[in-house]
Amino acid sequence: MSTIVFVDDSSKWTANYKRMLTPYQNELHCVYFEQPEEALEYMSAHPTEVLVCELDLPVMSGPELFEMVDMLSPATVKIGMAQVRNVADTLDMLNQIKIYKLILKPFFLAEDLIVPIRAALNHYNECTKERELQQKVEKKLQILNKETEELLKKMKKKKQGHDRILKAMLGMVEQNLSLPVAEFDPEKKTLVKGYCEELLREFFQYYMYEKKNLIFYLSYLKNKFHFPGKSCNFLIRSKVEGEIPVTVMNRIAYVMFLSGFLCEQCLESYYIENVLGEEEKEYVLHVRYYWTESNYKAMDPKVIKLLQRMVRELEVTLSDRMTDGDGEQGHVMKLYFKKEETL
């Protein structure tokens, strides 16, 4: 039942309110006060939906009471009452306070009182729903912000680990390549270092972050290497039935990346065909790529040879076994991956 607090220093008007609202006593819990201080004391201990108050009170005025209620019970909807003879003064008051409705006295029908009260209750309920919705949204935002903070912490920690490993692996690569690149000038050394960084960066994407399936890699690799308008073709066909284990798929996808990366770096145009099949206990990746000598980019042959060696060593390491051979203006190889993860 909704609680309505009335404040009026006139016992005559208070008697009128009681008489008019008697038919609604099952709907409304009405409490009547002649002193504003008593109303404040009551409202401090009892939730109140609507406050109906005479504006012209002798000690604490209606506007002053409303200001106190704003601090004590901000959700309470306020209705002011004023004599018709004091309309000018009342309008001046209204410019200084915030109330939901104004009832002019005298009034003689219960509808003149119950209608604005019901409207105020509807307004209270709507505002309550909005507040509850806002509180739910704010709570969800708080949870989301907390989850985001935790995720950012994890990402930061993972990135720090990623950067440390990347730096360490780059150091090892540079050390292992120190002999073959010793005769390279600074520009060529920088170029080779860039290749190493790209290979390692992609390696981390396949192995250190999200686990993906074949469909993802088909899209990712084609977007990276397949540009028919530039005569750069990167095709993938799968004859595998069922889902490939993610841990094996990572290796297969990275090997496909290596062939695309090698051709992209060395050739103006290329044609690469990746056919993925399976045997009883192994997945088989059959890679064919073709080019002509005139397609080579303007690169130092020693740099190309070093990059080819790096890619081949990675392919050997990632596959369980492989066979390869040069064909006419191209290269063909088969890489085998055990269906059970071995790395």
Side-chain angles (χ1 to χ4, degrees):
M1 186 178 295
S2 302
T3 297
I4 316 297
V5 170
F6 286 83
V7 181
D8 198 318
D9 63 326
S10 170
S11 57
K12 178 182 176 181
W13 272 109
T14 299
N16 287 336
Y17 306 148
K18 292 179 179 179
R19 176 179 53 79
M20 292 178 181
L21 295 176
T22 297
Y24 308 98
Q25 59 186 355
N26 294 329
E27 175 186 345
L28 305 174
H29 173 56
C30 298
V31 187
Y32 304 89
F33 299 96
E34 294 184 9
Q35 301 298 324
E37 295 81 4
E38 295 176 354
L40 283 173
E41 184 178 355
Y42 176 87
M43 294 177 67
S44 65
H46 301 85
T48 303
E49 284 83 352
V50 179
L51 169 63
V52 184
C53 179
E54 167 64 48
L55 296 180
D56 187 17
L57 296 173
V59 180
M60 179 188 293
S61 68
E64 290 173 335
L65 176 59
F66 287 151
E67 288 181 5
M68 297 292 290
V69 171
D70 279 338
M71 294 184 287
L72 179 67
S73 177
T76 299
V77 181
K78 298 178 287 295
I79 295 177
M81 294 186 294
Q83 300 290 334
V84 172
R85 65 178 182 274
N86 296 329
V87 171
D89 293 338
T90 301
L91 291 176
D92 184 55
M93 282 188 195
L94 293 178
N95 290 327
Q96 303 175 37
I97 61 175
K98 294 180 180 179
I99 61 174
Y100 179 67
K101 285 185 179 296
L102 173 66
I103 301 175
L104 293 179
K105 295 179 178 179
F107 56 88
F108 307 100
L109 300 176
E111 287 77 9
D112 294 329
L113 190 58
I114 191 64
V115 170
I117 288 176
R118 283 176 171 169
L121 286 172
N122 288 334
H123 181 70
Y124 176 89
N125 292 331
E126 290 174 1
C127 292
T128 300
K129 289 180 181 178
E130 290 181 5
R131 284 194 300 273
E132 290 175 349
L133 179 60
Q134 185 173 353
Q135 289 172 355
K136 288 180 181 179
V137 171
E138 289 176 353
K139 187 174 181 179
K140 288 182 179 179
L141 283 175
Q142 289 175 355
I143 295 173
L144 182 60
N145 288 335
K146 187 175 180 180
E147 291 176 349
T148 302
E149 288 177 5
E150 293 297 323
L151 181 60
L152 288 174
K153 289 179 182 178
K154 291 180 181 179
M155 290 178 64
K156 183 178 180 180
K157 187 175 181 181
K158 180 175 280 190
K159 183 179 184 301
Q160 289 173 345
H162 168 282
D163 292 341
R164 285 196 298 270
I165 297 173
L166 180 60
K167 185 177 180 180
M169 293 186 71
L170 278 174
M172 289 187 290
V173 169
E174 289 177 349
Q175 185 177 358
N176 292 334
L177 292 177
S178 60
L179 183 61
V181 302
E183 59 187 55
F184 286 180
D185 58 37
E187 183 178 352
K188 293 175 185 175
K189 288 181 180 179
T190 301
L191 190 62
V192 173
K193 183 179 179 181
Y195 294 151
C196 293
E197 289 179 345
E198 182 66 20
L199 290 172
L200 290 172
R201 198 173 291 112
E202 286 289 328
F203 177 85
F204 276 103
Q205 175 159 320
Y206 288 82
Y207 282 88
M208 297 293 289
Y209 288 91
E210 296 183 40
K211 297 177 179 179
K212 301 294 184 180
N213 57 21
L214 177 61
I215 300 299
F216 171 83
Y217 288 119
L218 289 176
S219 175
Y220 177 78
L221 291 167
K222 290 195 73 173
N223 287 335
K224 197 170 187 67
F225 298 121
H226 188 60
F227 303 100
K230 298 180 181 179
S231 297
C232 296
N233 296 278
F234 188 90
L235 308 177
I236 304 174
R237 289 191 295 120
S238 176
K239 299 179 180 179
V240 176
E241 295 183 1
E243 194 77 12
I244 301 174
V246 175
T247 52
V248 182
M249 188 67 248
N250 289 343
R251 290 192 288 146
I252 295 173
Y254 189 65
V255 167
M256 286 192 284
F257 160 78
L258 290 172
S259 62
F261 177 75
L262 179 63
C263 290
E264 178 190 54
Q265 298 298 323
C266 299
L267 304 172
E268 296 289 350
S269 61
Y270 51 78
Y271 183 93
I272 308 171
E273 184 181 38
N274 301 272
V275 181
L276 182 59
E278 61 182 321
E279 296 180 358
E280 185 176 351
K281 295 183 179 181
E282 295 174 306
Y283 296 106
V284 183
L285 178 63
H286 196 171
V287 183
R288 303 182 182 91
Y289 43 103
Y290 307 94
W291 67 88
T292 63
E293 291 184 2
S294 60
N295 281 342
Y296 275 102
K297 292 181 178 179
M299 294 172 57
D300 189 296
K302 293 181 180 179
V303 175
I304 294 177
K305 187 175 180 179
L306 181 60
L307 182 57
Q308 290 173 336
R309 196 196 85 187
M310 291 167 56
V311 168
R312 178 176 171 77
E313 288 182 357
L314 286 169
E315 290 170 340
V316 170
T317 302
L318 289 165
S319 60
D320 294 301
R321 62 188 178 95
M322 66 178 291
T323 59
D324 65 343
D326 291 324
E328 183 178 351
Q329 295 181 339
H331 191 77
V332 181
M333 63 180 175
K334 281 187 177 181
L335 301 104
Y336 298 83
F337 304 84
K338 292 181 181 178
K339 291 186 177 181
E340 294 183 2
E341 176 62 31
T342 59
L343 289 182

